[in-house]
Amino acid sequence: MSERSGLFAGDNPFELARAWLAEAEETELNDPNAIALSTVDADGMPNVRMVLLKEIEDGAFVFFTNYESAKGQELEQSGKAAFVLHWKSLRRQIRVRGHVTREDGPQADEYYHSRSLKSRLGAWASQQSRPLQSRSALMAEVAKITATKGPNPDRPPFWGGFRIVPSEIEFWADGAFRLHDRFVWRRNAPDDEWSVVRLNP
């Protein structure tokens, strides 16, 4: 029997991640695609926040945000990020580290236009991460944007996607007596072969 049988079987970590996420979509109460995204600022101070993972591609993980937000600026500055997907219902998690590039083309347009109108207008109205005088000031800006942008606004130039191309993906599953199962996939460059190592819990 293969060391990576059962939950961990397979030769493609992106297919495995998609399979785990599909299982979580059946068991998690809310947002099974929520990731804790970690970045660092210009001083090396770490930051973490929850965002929604929108796609697991054949070689990358994609999410969307305001490029002028704190996370957007930190991603642009460092070009690197890490995140964890954690599912309490399955008692599993996936950890990812890698390099980041913008997804600022048709894919970003398509996702933006798939959102509700109020969410699209909100993307225009919110100066994400920057000081806000009051909630009423934000709602006034939403009303102004609604009047000026109409029912089918274009994607804001400051809003789009980021693609994380991983150099490391770790799959973790809960084990009895805290003797968890952990397998980490590593590669030095996107075209390199993956090496897979079992880790101590």
Side-chain angles (χ1 to χ4, degrees):
M1 181 181 291
S2 168
E3 171 69 354
R4 289 190 297 107
S5 60
L7 285 179
F8 300 92
D11 299 320
N12 185 318
F14 301 101
E15 290 179 2
L16 184 55
R18 283 192 288 264
W20 281 27
L21 178 56
E23 284 189 67
E25 288 170 347
E26 301 298 320
T27 59
E28 285 292 295
L29 184 61
N30 291 305
D31 297 329
N33 60 329
I35 60 175
L37 176 71
S38 178
T39 58
V40 294
D41 66 17
D43 297 321
M45 181 65 74
N47 243 331
V48 66
R49 78 289 285 163
M50 304 303 296
V51 301
L52 295 180
L53 180 67
K54 287 301 179 178
E55 189 166 353
I56 302 175
E57 299 178 335
D58 289 337
F61 299 86
V62 180
F63 64 93
F64 297 87
T65 190
N66 186 315
Y67 291 136
E68 297 175 355
S69 66
K71 64 179 169 296
Q73 292 181 51
E74 289 167 4
L75 289 165
E76 295 276 16
Q77 178 265 324
S78 72
K80 299 173 185 175
F83 71 79
V84 62
L85 274 161
H86 176 233
W87 300 296
K88 294 180 74 173
S89 61
L90 296 177
R91 303 181 72 85
R92 297 183 211 164
Q93 66 182 19
I94 301 174
R95 297 174 59 231
V96 173
R97 298 198 300 165
H99 291 82
V100 179
T101 59
R102 276 196 187 196
E103 171 45 60
D104 200 23
Q107 187 174 343
D109 291 334
E110 181 180 357
Y111 173 65
Y112 176 78
H113 287 290
S114 76
R115 304 174 90 205
S116 71
L117 175 59
K118 289 184 178 180
S119 293
R120 283 179 278 152
L121 294 168
W124 274 101
S126 174
Q127 297 182 20
Q128 197 173 100
S129 302
R130 282 157 284 182
L132 176 64
Q133 181 181 0
S134 65
R135 175 114 188 140
S136 60
L138 176 61
M139 299 316 294
E141 184 63 21
V142 171
K144 176 183 172 183
I145 291 294
T146 301
T148 58
K149 296 295 181 184
N152 190 28
D154 291 333
R155 177 173 58 90
F158 52 81
W159 191 98
F162 283 104
R163 176 177 284 104
I164 301 177
V165 178
S167 54
E168 184 173 301
I169 307 174
E170 180 188 320
F171 295 86
W172 178 102
D174 182 67
F177 311 109
R178 302 197 66 79
L179 298 177
H180 313 303
D181 289 307
R182 298 173 64 188
F183 288 91
V184 62
W185 300 61
R186 293 190 179 109
R187 63 184 181 181
N188 293 321
D191 294 330
D192 288 353
E193 293 292 321
W194 290 100
S195 65
V196 186
V197 178
R198 178 187 271 274
L199 301 178
N200 272 277

